[in-house]
Amino acid sequence: MLQTRAPRPVHTGLPGGLWVPSVLALGLIVLPVIGLVVRAPWSRFGELVTSESALAALELSLRTGLVSTLLCVVLGGPLAVVLARGSVPGLRLLRSVVLLPLVLPPVVGGLALLYLLGISGFAGYALNVVFGVRIPFTTTAVILAQTFVAMPFLVVSLEGALRTGGERYEVIAATLGAPPWTVFRRITVPLVLPGLGSGMVLSFARCLGEFGATIAFAGSLQGVTRTLPLEVYLREEVDPDGAIALSLVLVVVAIVVIAVARPRSAEGWG
Amino acid sequence: MRAGLHVEVAVRRGDFTLDATVHVAPGEVVAVLGRNGSGKSTLLAAVAGLLRPDNGRIVLDGRVLTDTAAGVALPPYRRRIGLLAQQPLLFPHLSVLDNVAFAPLAAGTRRRVAREVARRHLTEVDAAEFARRRPGQLSGGQAQRVALARALAADPDLLLLDEPLSAVDVELAPALRSLLQTMLAERPAVLVTHQLIDALVLADRVVVLDGGRVVEQGPTREVLTRPRSAFAARLAGLNLVSGTATVGGLRTEDGTELSGLADSTVLGAAAVAVFTPAAVAVYVDPPKGSPRNVVHDRVAALEPNGTLVRVRGVGGLAADITPASAVELGLHARADVWFVVKAAEVAVYPASV
């Protein structure tokens, strides 16, 4: 590998007036977290985050988050390939549709899921009559709500990776006699693994933080649908110390996610 | 059955239309020449199956690859046509060996056997030592060698070469060119190139495309020594003036008369006058009382050409003179000049075969 160092860009000078709003913006992001750290009940921290309800919420969050991320990959991965490589009319419209959960208030998404899959919703009614299955207010509902809000993160970052990677290698592979499925398996997938990785991390983070869609569609039953953010919100009323301790757990997860996923997307191939 | 490649395609893309018929005999290497936008890449893409022509038929060794009338359009992976592009495009996640083993593996060969095949092909292109490396650790020339081995490992019935040497360092190009010469000896290929030397060394026949049409084709030597199209003449470094045949020469569209040695021209038919830049003298004052051909022009550019200076006229003529005379004449861009060439140096022949 060649050892090249990027030449330092020469700056023409920043307008001084940009510094004040910049510092304020950073402060708005960092100070609340510091506030949380300062206010944290460090002496009882271990005991608070290992209480029965906290552990149940943490376990549920991790479990549903992993399953949702997997669902995002299984469903959103192929969708990203279709969006990046397909030549169907209306692809641009589809691309905007995928962004919908990103801009929609999550609680609206949760309500939408409820009116689709609830007992009175048409799909929910059919499921109930034909299979006797009820989805709302179950762990399945939590997973669906999380998949709904996290899907765009995976699709968008994977589609970006597919586009920057380009089709050139796939064309060469085809001229070497490889049928489409072989090209997909041996060229397309290995080349977008970094993009897929950062997409998965982002989706997982979004799943862990999911609140609105979950509470609307799945409710808040301890051990069944009460994920970590719901637990934090409910504790805030009765046990602020516990809420802060659990919040810090989520902060740590967020920082880990940024550390893992950010450098790649900053380099432009994630 | 080895019947070679027969291509007859029409592709319309907005204002541009490619309408060409090209034949490649078994074992023959055909160079497709033409300026940018002449339709070379479009032709190659149609043959490779990467682009569907609006109309046409492509047949390789009796196998119909494309037939728009019958609705046949074989996908690229069923065509048995290899592609060597400008960039080597080695798969970055595979070792050099596995890059070359890709095609045999895709064809269903077992991994161990595929790697053996790959090793043999790497040895053939003199790149066996790189087998374990990653593509990122190779130089441009080495990578292109490996890309060639990879294309040949698929045992294609036809090889398409899209300017395979244009991204390779100047010092490394000759070695790679002679390697290509060896590898293409028995194999039919279509080569798209800008370089005269590539056509000379590699191609048995050349096809010149201009504006999406074949304007000239024939054996390489004949096209480059007796060009009939402006592009082939420019590539061969010759002056070409087209017009209609007169007694003892030709008349251009703007009425200029050029006399030369006419060879089987038909009076009034389209003809071309061809002469080397070395045969052209340059004057800054109108030459008097001479039976020679004189063309008044202005200098468009002065370019180095070996030990000489090439004077390019706005009208398209070129003259090679010594640097000393260029200085003596005080030549500069936009200078008024008279290009003079003896009739004995001008070959006039029909514009079409």
Side-chain angles (χ1 to χ4, degrees), chain B residues 203-262:
Chain B
D204 304 303
R205 223 152 50 75
V206 302
V207 171
V208 182
L209 279 182
D210 191 17
R213 289 175 183 278
V214 176
V215 290
E216 180 171 14
Q217 58 179 315
T220 309
R221 219 178 72 91
E222 195 180 305
V223 169
L224 294 173
T225 51
R226 273 172 76 97
R228 293 162 205 275
S229 65
F231 184 82
R234 197 181 169 103
L235 198 68
L238 295 170
N239 283 305
L240 182 141
V241 179
S242 47
T244 49
T246 58
V247 179
L250 63 63
R251 182 185 298 118
T252 66
E253 217 167 76
D254 62 17
T256 310
E257 299 270 356
L258 271 179
S259 41
L261 303 177

Side-chain angles (χ1 to χ4, degrees), chain A residues 27 52 65 77 79 110 114 139 153-154 160 176 179 181 186 205 216 238 243 263 267:
Chain A
E52 193 209 331
L79 177 59
L114 188 62
T139 305
F153 288 86
L154 188 110
L176 291 170
W181 191 247
R186 296 207 50 215
V238 290
E267 277 168 31

Side-chain angles (χ1 to χ4, degrees), chain A residues 1-6:
Chain A
M1 215 56 102
L2 279 175
Q3 295 287 322
T4 52
R5 195 164 296 166

Side-chain angles (χ1 to χ4, degrees), chain A residues 12-80:
Chain A
T12 50
L14 279 173
L18 296 183
W19 281 105
V20 175
S22 303
V23 169
L24 283 177
L26 272 175
L28 192 58
I29 295 170
V30 176
L31 288 178
V33 179
I34 292 177
L36 215 52
V37 173
V38 169
R39 175 64 183 73
W42 290 110
S43 52
R44 298 199 297 135
F45 187 81
E47 165 199 338
L48 285 169
V49 296
T50 53
S51 75
E52 193 209 331
S53 63
L55 282 180
L58 183 64
E59 196 251 285
L60 182 69
S61 268
L62 290 176
R63 195 152 50 87
T64 55
L66 283 174
V67 174
S68 302
T69 306
L70 220 62
L71 261 181
C72 283
V73 172
V74 171
L75 301 177
L79 177 59

Side-chain angles (χ1 to χ4, degrees), chain A residues 1 168-180 182-183 186-187 190-191, chain B residues 50 76-77 81-83 89-94 102-103 105-106 137 150-151 154:
Chain A
M1 215 56 102
R168 304 172 304 164
Y169 294 113
E170 291 160 23
V171 166
I172 290 288
T175 65
L176 291 170
T182 307
V183 175
R186 296 207 50 215
I187 304 296
L191 286 181
Chain B
L50 305 173
Y77 66 91
I81 292 180
L83 176 66
L89 294 176
L90 297 179
F91 306 132
H93 60 294
L94 298 178
F102 183 89
L105 263 182
Q137 297 168 305
R150 180 178 63 176

